[in-house]
Amino acid sequence: MATIHVDGQSYEVNGADNLLQACLSLGLDIPYFCWHPAMGSVGACRQCAVRQYKDKDDDRGMLVMSCMAPAADQTRIDIEDEEAKAFRASIIESLMINHPHDCPVCEEGGHCHLQDVTVMTGHDRRRYRFSKRTRRNQFLGPFITHEMNRCITCYRCVRFYNDYAGGTDLGTFGSKDNVYFGRYEEGTLESPFAGNLTEVCPTGVFTDKSHSERYTRKWDMQFAPGICHQCAMGCNISPGERYGEIRRIENRYHGEVNGYFLCDRGRFGYGYVNRTDRPSVPERREAPDSEPVSLGVDDALAQVSEALRHARRVIGIGSPRASLESNHQLLTLVGVDNFSTGIEAREQACLEQMNHLQRHAGLPTPTPREIEDHDAMLVLGEDPVQSAGRLGLNLRQAALARSKALGETIGVPDWNAEALKTLAQDRYYPLFIAWPAPTDLDDVAEARHALGPDDIARLGFAVAHAIDPVAPVVEGLSPALTEAAGRIARALMTAERPLVVSGGSLCSGAVLEAAGSVARALSRRAKKAGMVLIRREANSTGVSLMGGQPLDWVLDELAQGKADAVVVLENDLYQRLPAQRVDAALARAEIAVVLDHQRTATAARAHFLLSAGSFAESDGTLVNLEGRAQRFFQVYQPAYMRPETRIRESWRWLHALGANLRGETTGEINLDTVVRDCAEAHPALAGMVDAAPDSHYRIDGQRLAREPHRYSGRTAMVADQNVSEPRVPQDPDSAFAHSMEGYSGYQQHRQQIPFAWAPGWNSPQAWNKFTDEVGGHLRGGDPGVRLIHPVPGQGRYSQPIQGTESPEALKALILPRLFGGEETSARATPIRQRTELPYVILSPDDVLRLELRAGDVVTIDGVTKLLLHEQDNWPTGWAGLPAGLIGGLLQGDTIAVGRVSGGEP
């Protein structure tokens, strides 16, 4: 700690910070542009000038850039010094010389950092009277709009894109006052984190193109605290709604999970919520091919209840993309013995195995933020960027963090970004990846071993034995893999904080056991190590903790006539198991009820389709890959703007059905009740009650506002329907109000923050006002509660797989993909536009054996047409296929690949 003196006042601050960060953490306002809490200082914009004095006797001082000055003990500065204020105002004036006068039409308007700083410095007159410099903008893909005329040359964009996120196709061109930020030629930005430019850029150079199509000012959108549903990371998001549509998603700061950044799937994959073909009212079909008949809520509940009441046995199929509350209500409806998780058997076995390893492998699961503190990483059987996007960014920061260690040896502080970059060059902490295809982390990896699933497991077991000789020996390992295992083991043992990363992408229990063996070996060496296990879907962890039969069991029960009715919760069975098997099972069901917010292939087979709410229209709890239960809240009430809709939360539909079947009055039900019921019924989920405050939570007697205080036009929004303003929806399920009436400040500490705003800070930089220190944790505590905790002891080592892989026929090796590989986000137009043309990967030996050539159009099992890609180091006997392309195809399934005579893929 250090004592600094600011404008005559003394403060205790972190002496490792620079003066800018220290002052901002104290709540003192200093304008800045180029500095960013996650990226450090480069001193490019000169906007954060303050007057610094040598000591208490110095009355002249000198102007310094506070982002480049350490917060050393007894430092004395003046922020309000007249010369410093004049200097800051002159910087703004010079930056604004070529900036267009387009705030009223600029899409950054209302949450623009440049606007905030312009007001903060008092600059309100432009003396420049000559022609402004103009630029040609570029097409940068479906996510980002480019408007270079607004650039103030802060360099944040390239620093994030290239230095932080590892992108290579965005650059800086020109010099002095003639600098251009863009691609060498226009085209789609390749980084899966490019969308963060919309928040990193302090002006409107990079804006959200998906938002542009249905643009709304930030102050005219309604928000709620959300959790991204597109993977298992559990990133916190702020979805914004207007006129009953989600208009954009912004990052919601969480000090332990996502910090300041999201992946592009989480940011732009919301389009399925706004689809016009969504089921908005309950429907009944007499037969799969017949036209649906719309029903009212009461009629739907009565007819479904009557049908289920006469069924011999009802089975419920849950979903890892639905909330814990909805899954529990389904379990309550059908009974424990008739409930399925809705997950394929091998994947469910892997999920249970991962839960066991997190408790018993001897290592804790670090938070995503803590991952960045590890100094040696082994990734076994995962491509983190593609399977859990934001986690890949954490691993990249862990590898890049060696620059900080190098800087510490010669006294360069952590925040001096450019000095650390120059010092480190291409030196990283060791990162080893065992994965058959190229990954987005290869550029910072010491080695990537292109192996099949069994050989990945064997490598892991060999690493464990090299660390701890008590671990079983792997027989028959090739000299190359033996040498690689030794090299990896030495790096992990040398490190102070090694990390093991694995997961279920390969659906291989052997790979998971190998990761567990490495974890056990490290824990026996008393290392401050960690282990992260990646799951596939938003609530895979939560549903696996709840328990239930796998999906395969349900289909067998239906096919054998042991059940005649099925209720499917937010799950497309055709994405999980082969279509023939699903068809055979559903054909035997006399009554099929589906609750979903999308028209899936499963919904098309339903006798009754109940219109469920998406994440934007529901409340619920998810459990992420680290075992953290987090609550998401309804952004808007769908019937307010569209009275004809009959969309309800899945758990509300299921509660009403259960009450009807039991002959009870449905009565009132709210989120607090279903949360408590779920927690009491499942001991492993007991802590979920504390994931967020209940509906009675108030600040100074007020609810929490969903809308900014400048929200406007409410009375006109439905004037085309009724000139009398309807009553604002009342929310019995949460502490939030569907209006601007309520608390939205930052002075009172709280966890659940729908949007960030503070006086003078309208941009995303306002999050600095809600944290205990800039870049730290929320003052009210980071949301969520851990449900999985390690227990003492490491358990026994597993026996390794013996022998090498030599498949007699081609097997499917399904590769996760960020764009197009997830069921709901794949329905969003920008994601579809961003999805690359899929292809099948074969090894040169298999290409030769099958008499094919790279670039051929081939068929998979005589149906799906794909281009053939030949990869030199691809494992023989495996065909690499992109996830989400062929529904129901499982890892390791035998497939046939044949050439197509002519035709397009």
Side-chain angles (χ1 to χ4, degrees), residues 20 28 71 92 148 154 173 232 238 325 347 380 475 492 526 548 551 587 596 678 686 693 777 894:
L20 174 60
L28 305 174
I92 279 287
M148 258 305 294
C154 71
F173 306 90
S238 288
E325 293 80 0
E347 182 180 354
L380 280 176
E475 302 290 348
L492 295 178
L551 179 58
D596 212 330
C678 184
H777 304 273
T894 299

Side-chain angles (χ1 to χ4, degrees), residues 312-326:
R312 289 182 290 106
R313 182 186 178 202
V314 183
I315 288 182
I317 301 177
S319 171
R321 66 173 167 91
S323 68
L324 290 177
E325 293 80 0
S326 295

Side-chain angles (χ1 to χ4, degrees), residues 63 310 696 901:
L63 292 185
H310 288 86
H696 301 291
S901 298

Side-chain angles (χ1 to χ4, degrees), residues 166-277:
T168 58
D169 60 314
L170 183 72
T172 307
F173 306 90
S175 63
K176 299 180 181 179
D177 63 346
N178 187 29
V179 177
Y180 189 92
F181 298 97
R183 287 170 52 91
Y184 71 95
E185 63 178 7
E186 66 178 25
T188 299
L189 288 171
E190 297 170 1
S191 171
F193 306 103
N196 291 293
L197 294 174
T198 63
E199 293 185 30
V200 166
C201 176
T203 72
V205 176
F206 299 98
T207 53
D208 185 335
K209 183 177 286 188
S210 66
H211 183 211
S212 303
E213 297 170 0
R214 302 284 288 166
Y215 182 72
T216 303
R217 294 288 187 201
K218 179 178 179 178
W219 62 69
D220 279 335
M221 286 190 285
Q222 181 169 249
F223 299 88
I227 304 297
C228 181
H229 279 52
Q230 317 305 345
C231 79
M233 270 297 289
C235 293
N236 285 219
I237 57 174
S238 288
E241 171 268 349
R242 183 73 166 177
Y243 285 106
E245 298 177 339
I246 294 297
R247 296 295 178 88
R248 72 178 297 168
I249 283 180
E250 294 183 335
N251 182 75
R252 182 163 64 95
Y253 186 84
H254 191 294
E256 291 290 1
V257 180
N258 49 288
Y260 292 96
F261 305 121
L262 299 173
C263 77
D264 284 356
R265 181 162 79 186
R267 188 180 294 274
F268 300 108
Y270 63 85
Y272 63 93
V273 176
N274 299 334
R275 288 179 67 102
T276 56
D277 62 349

Side-chain angles (χ1 to χ4, degrees), residues 167-460:
T168 58
D169 60 314
L170 183 72
T172 307
F173 306 90
S175 63
K176 299 180 181 179
D177 63 346
N178 187 29
V179 177
Y180 189 92
F181 298 97
R183 287 170 52 91
Y184 71 95
E185 63 178 7
E186 66 178 25
T188 299
L189 288 171
E190 297 170 1
S191 171
F193 306 103
N196 291 293
L197 294 174
T198 63
E199 293 185 30
V200 166
C201 176
T203 72
V205 176
F206 299 98
T207 53
D208 185 335
K209 183 177 286 188
S210 66
H211 183 211
S212 303
E213 297 170 0
R214 302 284 288 166
Y215 182 72
T216 303
R217 294 288 187 201
K218 179 178 179 178
W219 62 69
D220 279 335
M221 286 190 285
Q222 181 169 249
F223 299 88
I227 304 297
C228 181
H229 279 52
Q230 317 305 345
C231 79
M233 270 297 289
C235 293
N236 285 219
I237 57 174
S238 288
E241 171 268 349
R242 183 73 166 177
Y243 285 106
E245 298 177 339
I246 294 297
R247 296 295 178 88
R248 72 178 297 168
I249 283 180
E250 294 183 335
N251 182 75
R252 182 163 64 95
Y253 186 84
H254 191 294
E256 291 290 1
V257 180
N258 49 288
Y260 292 96
F261 305 121
L262 299 173
C263 77
D264 284 356
R265 181 162 79 186
R267 188 180 294 274
F268 300 108
Y270 63 85
Y272 63 93
V273 176
N274 299 334
R275 288 179 67 102
T276 56
D277 62 349
R278 281 185 57 188
S280 59
V281 296
E283 296 175 357
R284 184 190 74 240
R285 274 192 175 92
E286 297 297 335
D289 297 330
S290 63
E291 287 295 317
V293 176
S294 298
L295 300 173
V297 171
D298 292 340
D299 283 345
L301 289 172
Q303 293 186 33
V304 173
S305 300
E306 183 69 14
L308 295 179
R309 188 177 293 115
H310 288 86
R312 289 182 290 106
R313 182 186 178 202
V314 183
I315 288 182
I317 301 177
S319 171
R321 66 173 167 91
S323 68
L324 290 177
E325 293 80 0
S326 295
N327 277 285
H328 172 67
Q329 287 297 313
L330 176 60
L331 184 149
T332 303
L333 176 71
V334 300
V336 174
D337 295 335
N338 297 317
F339 176 74
S340 165
T341 60
I343 302 171
E344 182 265 330
R346 284 184 294 171
E347 182 180 354
Q348 180 161 324
C350 286
L351 290 171
E352 293 168 355
Q353 190 176 2
M354 285 188 270
N355 294 340
H356 176 80
L357 289 173
Q358 274 190 256
R359 294 189 180 100
H360 300 288
L363 292 183
T365 298
T367 66
R369 181 194 185 104
E370 292 169 343
I371 287 172
E372 300 181 7
D373 294 328
H374 287 266
D375 55 354
M377 292 74 68
L378 170 61
V379 179
L380 280 176
E382 279 291 347
D383 182 351
V385 172
Q386 299 300 317
S387 57
R390 183 63 179 82
L391 185 69
L393 202 54
N394 295 121
L395 288 171
R396 177 175 291 277
Q397 302 322 303
L400 295 174
R402 189 178 180 194
S403 64
K404 297 179 181 179
L406 293 170
E408 187 176 356
T409 62
I410 61 172
V412 178
D414 289 357
W415 45 262
N416 197 334
E418 200 62 27
L420 293 178
K421 177 183 173 184
T422 302
L423 176 63
Q425 299 294 321
D426 295 325
R427 291 182 287 180
Y428 312 112
Y429 278 134
L431 168 62
F432 300 93
I433 303 172
W435 182 253
T439 77
D440 294 86
L441 295 175
D442 286 359
D443 60 315
V444 294
E446 190 162 320
R448 179 179 62 84
H449 301 281
L451 304 169
D454 287 353
D455 284 338
I456 289 175
R458 285 161 55 78
L459 174 63

